Amino acid sequence: MNWLFKEEPTHYSFDALAKDKKTVWSGVKNPLAQKHLHAVKKGDRIFYYHTGDEKAVVGIARALDDAYPDPDDKTGRSAVVDVAPVKKLGRPVTLAEIKADASFKTFALVRIARLSVMPVTDEEWSRIERMAGA
């Protein structure tokens, strides 16, 4: 499966992930985003998206393990996942570019802009990689 994870670069940028070599993806509050996070499996590909002023897909990461219960969530409902960087994209692919491409009209990034964890189809993945010059 493919995913897109969003993060504010001033909070935790792709470069910070690359420096750290891995991190625990946590702090997801939205119920739909949590549902998606629960579905992440070891080896899944993840687009790293910078929110805020950038609004662009900037890198690729991967899930190191299946999602697991958030140890900080006493209710046991929240999931977290360990992720590692794979590579920075040749160039960022902006939200404006994605929105301008009619083939992305059903993409969750366009339809549900505030969602922080979302699935990405193989077609969407390939198209974004091509747009980045991969």
Side-chain angles (χ1 to χ4, degrees), residues 27-94:
V28 175
K29 303 287 184 238
N30 177 284
L32 182 56
Q34 261 299 324
K35 179 183 172 195
H36 293 319
L37 198 59
H38 276 276
V40 174
K41 300 288 182 216
K42 181 179 181 175
D44 282 358
R45 300 185 300 178
I46 301 160
F47 273 138
Y48 202 106
Y49 181 92
H50 281 174
T51 60
D53 292 337
E54 279 187 56
K55 292 185 179 66
V57 180
V58 296
I60 296 173
R62 67 182 165 83
L64 295 174
D65 289 298
D66 293 356
Y68 57 92
D70 183 344
D72 295 331
D73 177 24
K74 305 298 178 240
T75 68
R77 283 186 234 127
S78 293
V80 297
V81 68
D82 298 331
V83 300
V86 173
K87 67 176 182 176
K88 197 166 187 169
L89 292 180
R91 70 165 192 85
V93 178
T94 67

Side-chain angles (χ1 to χ4, degrees), residues 8 13-14 16 33 43 48 50 56 73 75 83-84 90 97-99 101-102 105 111 125 127:
E8 176 69 56
S13 68
F14 185 81
Y48 202 106
H50 281 174
D73 177 24
T75 68
V83 300
E97 288 176 88
I98 291 168
K99 283 183 170 180
D101 187 328
K105 68 179 179 296
R111 291 185 308 103
W125 186 279
R127 191 158 187 86

Side-chain angles (χ1 to χ4, degrees), residues 10-26:
T10 57
H11 180 254
Y12 194 72
S13 68
F14 185 81
D15 289 342
L17 173 63
K19 182 176 172 268
D20 293 346
K21 308 263 192 284
K22 71 176 186 176
T23 194
V24 176
W25 203 268
S26 61

